[in-house]
Amino acid sequence: MSHALIVIDVQNDFCPGGALAVADGDAIVPGINGLMADAAAVVLTQDWHPAGHSSFASSHPGADPFSMIEMPYGPQVLWPDHCIQGSPGAAFHPDLAVEAGQMIVRKGFRPGIDSYSAFFENDKTTPTGLDGYLKTRGIDAVTLVGLATDFCVQFSALDAARLGFATTVRMDLCRAIDLDGSLAAARSAMAAAGVTLSEG
Ligand code: VGL
Ligand code: ZN
């Protein structure tokens, strides 16, 4: 099989000290760098929101971060402002081997819709183009790593499996936000979809 490594959102805002910090988010960087040489393709994703994005609690007067709202495309968690286009928080972690990346997929840039998955926005129909990129390069297997396990990694893995890629998540090279049991739910959903969950 021809195999791609997809590195999800290893950005300063998801690492300790960032606006939406994931506990231990930076601990996975050396292990991720170590996988890059073995992949036929290396793809990085970058959460990339305009100021005032609709997924920010600050855009909904009275709403608290980590509360839920109903959007036209379904339920949406409201987040602290994070990964604003061009800000230091949106930059990749300084130790990530960004130079080894062959494709960078930015997502979440449309003001009215969030985009967790590397493949589709949260309406599950608007494509990022990554499916075509991988398939035209002859890729049929993907390994996902990065942040956060229960949001962007999970959504990307479920889409990859649905699109027909043999899909593995290196759980040891991911870290979770874990809101109300979301990590356990993500594990079950990924396993049920035929995603291989590997501890390395
Ligand atoms: C993510 C919440 C909001 C992620 C991105 O990368 O998992 N989570 N935006
Ligand atoms: Zn985001």
Side-chain angles (χ1 to χ4, degrees):
M1 295 195 106
S2 183
H3 170 260
L5 178 67
I6 305 180
V7 180
I8 303 291
D9 297 1
V10 180
Q11 293 167 259
N12 291 323
D13 269 344
F14 298 121
C15 290
L20 180 41
V22 179
D24 238 13
D26 54 343
I28 61 179
V29 172
I32 292 173
N33 290 342
L35 287 184
M36 290 179 175
D38 293 333
V42 178
V43 175
L44 311 178
T45 71
Q46 196 169 22
D47 211 38
W48 196 251
H49 299 306
H53 191 255
S54 57
S55 74
F56 297 167
S58 62
S59 303
H60 303 267
D64 289 325
F66 306 105
S67 65
M68 301 285 306
I69 56 159
E70 201 58 41
M71 294 290 277
Y73 54 82
Q76 170 72 47
V77 181
L78 292 178
W79 302 106
D81 292 20
H82 65 279
C83 295
I84 308 251
Q85 295 171 358
S87 69
F92 290 111
H93 185 284
D95 297 334
L96 186 69
V98 176
E99 65 280 4
Q102 299 164 355
M103 165 67 124
I104 296 175
V105 177
R106 287 177 170 164
K107 59 188 183 60
F109 51 76
R110 290 189 175 84
I113 185 167
D114 207 0
S115 187
Y116 293 152
S117 168
F119 294 95
F120 293 100
E121 308 207 1
N122 285 9
D123 61 4
K124 303 202 185 300
T125 55
T126 306
T128 64
L130 181 58
D131 180 36
Y133 174 79
L134 294 174
K135 286 181 177 158
T136 54
R137 287 199 50 187
I139 300 292
D140 50 8
V142 297
T143 295
L144 292 116
V145 295
L147 305 170
T149 322
D150 39 348
F151 288 92
C152 292
V153 174
Q154 175 193 200
F155 275 60
S156 299
L158 294 176
D159 284 342
R162 181 163 58 88
L163 292 166
F165 296 98
T167 305
T168 299
V169 174
R170 276 285 300 264
M171 296 297 278
D172 60 317
L173 296 177
C174 297
R175 292 292 183 274
I177 296 173
D178 205 10
L179 279 183
D180 297 326
S182 57
L183 176 57
R187 276 185 173 278
S188 315
M190 291 191 286
V195 173
T196 300
L197 304 181
S198 161
E199 290 295 338

